[in-house]
């Protein structure tokens, strides 16, 4: 019989759940910890029914990012019968709500989460689990126990023989919350596209792709994928260089180094903004390049990698080794097991 239970009350943040918890479920189950995911966005909190009481009574709860008001009320009402409550967070909602570079609809959603939902979750949580040092420091002022758990590498690493290709692909796989970041380096991408006929650019922003980039020669714009589809795409697709620009904003300061893992999973070498979190992980010139904000610096870095296949291969190999070490799933396994035993 399981010695412990974790109910994951999901509000639909599948990437966050996958990177920090879902991948450890099979291992936790083998250790006697029963795990169950409940789609809180699709189901109402009817777990007070007598026939379901055996599921939730005494169980630990994992809340990721946010939770519908109805579920928050249910958790508050049954708090005394529940085990520990963990709040998993990978964004600074307050910073996002005030960031004028973000889409207005996104800022409004973050404002609601920051002003209404997050304070209620923080009041219920025994522990807050965050993805970055910055976010840990920010939340330590509002909660007594804030722990750091960096993202795991959840994809297998590919063979790197493609890195010696003469025709290369540069990839950007962000979300619309980072449009300003990719726009900031668009002059470098324009210059590279017009000076290098063997370089292709792939951007997964769909209709949100800045027009100046979608019109570049050899640019391919792909629609954003669902999380499961993206994982399948990541496992089968290869890039030579991955882009991870990150402007200096309060919202960006809370980000994790997940783009390092994404780039390694597709066999690429990353070019990263020279600031945290990437400057905390990347060894410049060895397993990636750290670049200042000036477009000419980005062009120089990209041109160097695009024209140096042997260097790319060596750096991709080093990046793969670092991804395996920094993203070791055993860290997350031990983290969660220690909390629910």
């Amino acid at each position: 019989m399981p010695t412990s239970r974790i109910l994951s009350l999901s509000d639909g943040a599948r990437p966050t759940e996958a990177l920090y918890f879902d991948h450890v479920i099979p291992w936790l189950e083998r250790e006697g910890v029963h795990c169950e995911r409940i789609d809180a966005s699709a189901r109402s909190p009817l777990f007070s029914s007598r026939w379901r009481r055996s599921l939730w009574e005494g169980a630990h709860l994992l809340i990721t990012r946010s939770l519908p008001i109805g579920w928050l009320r249910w958790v508050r009402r049954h708090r005394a019968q529940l085990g520990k409550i963990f709040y998993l967070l990978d964004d600074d909602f307050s910073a996002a709500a005030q960031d004028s570079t973000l889409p207005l609809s996104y800022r409004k959603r973050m404002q609601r989460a920051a002003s209404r939902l997050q304070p209620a979750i923080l009041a219920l949580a025994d522990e807050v689990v965050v993805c970055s040092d910055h976010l840990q420091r920010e939340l330590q002022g509002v909660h007594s126990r804030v722990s750091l758990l960096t993202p795991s590498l959840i994809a297998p690493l590919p063979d790197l023989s493609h890195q010696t290709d003469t025709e290369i692909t540069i990839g950007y796989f962000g979300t619309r919350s980072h449009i300003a970041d990719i726009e900031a380096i668009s002059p470098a991408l324009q210059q590279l596209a017009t000076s290098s006929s063997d370089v292709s650019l792939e951007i997964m922003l769909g209709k949100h792709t800045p027009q100046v980039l979608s019109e570049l020669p050899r640019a391919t714009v792909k629609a954003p994928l669902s999380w499961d589809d993206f994982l399948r795409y990541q496992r089968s697709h290869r890039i030579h260089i991955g882009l991870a620009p990150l402007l200096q904003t309060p919202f960006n300061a809370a980000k994790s180094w997940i783009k390092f893992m994404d780039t390694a999973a597709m066999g690429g070498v990353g070019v990263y903004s020279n600031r945290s979190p990437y400057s905390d992980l990347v060894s410049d010139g060895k397993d990636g390049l750290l670049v200042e904000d000036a477009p000419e610096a980005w062009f120089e870095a990209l041109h160097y990698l695009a024209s140096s296949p042997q260097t790319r291969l060596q750096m991709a190999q080093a990046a793969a080794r670092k991804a395996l070490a920094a993203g070791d799933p055993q860290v997350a396994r031990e983290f969660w097991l220690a909390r629910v035993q």
Side-chain angles (χ1 to χ4, degrees):
M1 290 292 292
T3 60
S4 187
R5 284 166 290 145
I6 302 177
L7 299 184
S8 176
L9 297 183
S10 173
D11 198 25
R14 295 309 302 273
T16 309
E17 295 167 356
L19 291 166
Y20 299 94
F21 182 72
D22 286 358
H23 67 283
V24 307
I25 289 177
W27 186 84
L28 288 174
E29 294 272 4
R30 289 194 293 272
E31 294 295 317
V33 181
H34 175 71
C35 302
E36 181 164 339
R37 179 180 181 271
I38 298 165
D39 188 344
S41 295
R43 299 177 62 178
S44 61
L46 299 178
F47 286 74
S48 57
S49 301
R50 186 177 300 275
W51 69 277
R52 297 294 288 176
R53 194 176 188 89
S54 61
L55 171 67
W56 58 260
E57 190 169 43
H60 306 299
L61 295 188
L62 175 64
I63 299 172
T64 302
R65 288 181 63 90
S66 65
L67 202 61
I69 289 292
W71 273 100
L72 282 172
R73 291 171 179 160
W74 181 90
V75 173
R76 189 181 297 116
R77 185 164 61 248
H78 295 284
R79 183 65 189 91
Q81 288 79 47
L82 297 166
K84 299 175 186 176
I85 296 179
F86 305 99
Y87 182 27
L88 176 58
L89 191 62
D90 62 351
D91 262 333
D92 187 332
F93 292 165
S94 296
Q98 301 171 35
D99 191 335
S100 61
T101 68
L102 298 177
L104 181 59
S105 59
Y106 185 82
R107 288 161 55 195
K108 288 182 176 179
R109 191 165 74 251
M110 293 299 98
Q111 175 59 43
R112 180 175 180 272
S115 61
R116 296 186 60 193
L117 301 177
Q118 189 172 83
I121 299 172
L122 288 170
L124 291 165
D126 294 285
E127 183 174 3
V128 183
V129 181
V130 298
C131 68
S132 67
D133 291 325
H134 178 88
L135 198 52
Q136 184 179 31
R137 290 191 297 270
E138 288 292 304
L139 288 174
Q140 281 173 338
V142 295
H143 199 278
S144 61
R145 188 175 185 188
V146 185
S147 300
L148 175 65
L149 179 63
T150 51
S152 296
L153 177 67
I154 62 173
L157 293 179
D159 173 77
L160 298 174
S161 58
H162 68 288
Q163 281 293 358
T164 58
D165 295 345
T166 54
E167 295 188 1
I168 69 169
T169 298
I170 299 174
Y172 180 75
F173 306 94
T175 65
R176 67 188 186 117
S177 64
H178 292 289
I179 291 175
D181 298 323
I182 191 67
E183 282 181 331
I185 67 167
S186 62
L189 297 174
Q190 286 178 291
Q191 186 178 357
L192 189 68
T194 56
S195 63
S196 303
S197 60
D198 54 358
V199 175
S200 298
L201 178 64
E202 182 176 318
I203 305 175
M204 192 173 282
L205 280 173
K207 65 181 181 180
H208 303 294
T209 303
Q211 185 175 352
V212 66
L213 296 180
S214 63
E215 293 177 349
L216 290 180
R218 297 173 302 282
T220 301
V221 174
K222 295 182 178 295
L225 300 174
S226 70
W227 175 244
D228 289 340
D229 286 342
F230 177 71
L231 287 181
R232 285 190 286 270
Y233 182 81
Q234 189 180 64
R235 283 163 168 77
S236 62
H237 189 63
R238 301 292 171 262
I239 61 172
H240 299 83
I241 302 171
L243 298 173
L246 203 66
L247 294 173
Q248 189 169 8
T249 69
F251 173 66
N252 281 344
K255 290 299 180 179
S256 75
W257 56 51
I258 185 56
K259 289 295 180 250
F260 186 92
M261 302 299 174
D262 286 342
T263 299
M266 288 186 277
V269 174
V271 183
Y272 307 92
S273 288
N274 189 15
R275 58 176 48 91
S276 184
Y278 299 119
S279 58
D280 303 330
L281 179 69
V282 176
S283 297
D284 185 35
K286 295 182 179 179
D287 47 39
L289 293 180
L290 295 171
V291 184
E292 304 301 333
D293 290 333
E296 55 268 26
W298 279 84
F299 171 76
E300 182 179 342
L302 291 169
H303 183 266
Y304 169 68
L305 287 178
S307 58
S308 309
Q310 194 58 40
T311 298
R312 284 200 317 270
L313 175 60
Q314 292 171 354
M315 292 176 67
Q317 290 170 337
R321 291 192 293 270
K322 181 165 285 186
L324 285 171
D328 185 354
Q330 186 65 26
V331 174
R333 293 169 185 170
E334 294 175 356
F335 180 94
W336 289 112
L337 185 61
R339 281 154 174 78
V340 300
Q341 280 183 322

